[in-house]
Amino acid sequence: MALVREAPLSAKAGVALILLYGLVALTAPLIAPFGESQIVAAQFEPWGYPYLLGTDNLGRDMLTRLIYGARNTIGIAAATTAIAFLVGGTAGLLAAAVGGFLDQAMSRVVDVLMAIPQLVFALLLLAIFGTSIPVLIAVIALLDCTRVFRIARSVAMNVAAMDFVEVARLRGEGLLWILRREILPAVAPTLLAEFGLRFCFVFLFISSLSFLGLGLQPPTADWGSMVRDNATLITYGDLTPLLPAAAIALMTVAINFVVDHVLHLAGGRHAR
């Protein structure tokens, strides 16, 4: 709590927004006025009671879709980022600590995967394996863990060459002990900040795929597909399609505020 009290206003606002988004995502079935895919009126109803934000292209309540979109988009982005960090972070730390042939082999595989444009690779894999939620999570996590691997390996290489790690090796400590007790605590702040940034990239990437029709599939609510489905209204000066886009942008800004403060703390500085 002390860290939150001493944080700058931007970081506090970021934390508050993230908590608000999380609360909405967790309580979506309780606070949404209608069902996620329930058709409640004619298409493109204007804002007003009982449809506070109008209806979409199929006559579903926009406020309800926004609320459920928070649960779906944020939940999948969080799961994907966590898997990417578990796989890519572990592999990066292991490559830095072991070195030699293992490091070179893993690095070359990652180089090959990173040479392929991420969006093109994702579209190819989703076209082959389908667009179900498990496949979507697995594909994006696979693509993202290569970036996590490079970051984790880079910061861990510097730590692995330090004297206290060499002393631990000379004492006869095992590889897992060194990774868990010596290297991981030293690189944790950097990885934590990277987790926030990577979550933003995954969050935006999922929304982009949904906008292209290869992300979350109907009738599941998703902010990216909501922008696409209601884009026609922009022609008539209706701002409804901008609501899910604003939700995406606001979440991204909030996370970046928090990540920026974490980076300041990791560098021994305090933002004002």
Side-chain angles (χ1 to χ4, degrees):
M1 294 299 295
L3 288 177
V4 175
R5 287 196 300 268
E6 296 172 2
L9 182 60
S10 59
K12 291 178 181 177
V15 170
L17 282 172
I18 292 171
L19 291 176
L20 176 61
Y21 271 74
L23 181 63
V24 170
L26 291 173
T27 61
L30 300 176
I31 63 176
F34 301 99
E36 180 178 4
S37 56
Q38 181 182 356
I39 297 177
V40 297
Q43 61 180 1
F44 299 140
E45 286 283 341
W47 295 15
Y49 186 81
Y51 319 117
L52 299 182
L53 298 179
T55 60
D56 67 3
N57 61 319
L58 295 179
R60 297 168 297 192
D61 181 59
M62 277 294 294
L63 177 60
T64 298
R65 301 285 289 176
L66 278 172
I67 292 172
Y68 274 97
R71 185 179 68 168
N72 297 330
T73 308
I74 295 173
I76 291 175
T80 302
T81 308
I83 294 172
F85 263 78
L86 180 63
V87 176
T90 302
L93 295 179
L94 190 61
V98 176
F101 175 77
L102 179 65
D103 178 29
Q104 290 299 315
M106 295 173 73
S107 297
R108 298 297 78 77
V109 171
V110 167
D111 287 343
V112 171
L113 292 175
M114 291 186 68
I116 306 173
Q118 190 176 28
L119 181 59
V120 174
F121 200 11
L123 294 176
L124 175 63
L125 293 177
L126 291 173
I128 295 172
F129 297 109
T131 55
S132 65
I133 291 178
V135 171
L136 183 66
I137 292 175
V139 167
I140 300 178
L142 171 65
L143 298 176
D144 228 47
C145 72
T146 58
R147 277 76 181 168
V148 177
F149 172 87
R150 296 302 295 268
I151 292 292
R153 177 183 176 274
S154 177
V155 295
M157 286 283 283
N158 295 328
V159 176
M162 291 185 176
D163 292 340
F164 63 88
V165 177
E166 290 297 327
V167 170
R169 288 195 177 105
L170 292 174
R171 285 201 313 263
E173 303 292 355
L175 176 61
L176 292 179
W177 193 95
I178 292 174
L179 285 173
R180 182 169 56 90
R181 299 293 297 275
E182 302 288 355
I183 297 179
L184 183 58
V187 303
T190 303
L191 294 182
L192 181 61
E194 178 63 19
F195 184 93
L197 292 175
R198 192 55 47 191
F199 176 85
C200 288
F201 293 142
V202 171
F203 185 73
L204 294 172
F205 192 57
I206 291 173
S207 298
S208 300
L209 288 174
S210 296
F211 183 82
L212 295 173
L214 285 171
L216 297 179
Q217 297 301 301
T220 304
D222 174 73
W223 290 337
S225 60
M226 289 173 66
V227 175
R228 179 197 64 212
D229 293 340
N230 299 282
T232 305
L233 293 176
I234 292 292
T235 308
Y236 303 99
D238 193 322
L239 300 180
T240 300
L242 298 182
L243 296 176
I248 295 170
L250 197 59
M251 181 66 173
T252 304
V253 170
I255 293 174
N256 275 285
F257 279 158
V258 176
V259 168
D260 185 57
H261 182 55
V262 171
L263 288 174
H264 276 281
L265 292 178
R269 296 167 292 171
H270 296 274
R272 295 292 179 186

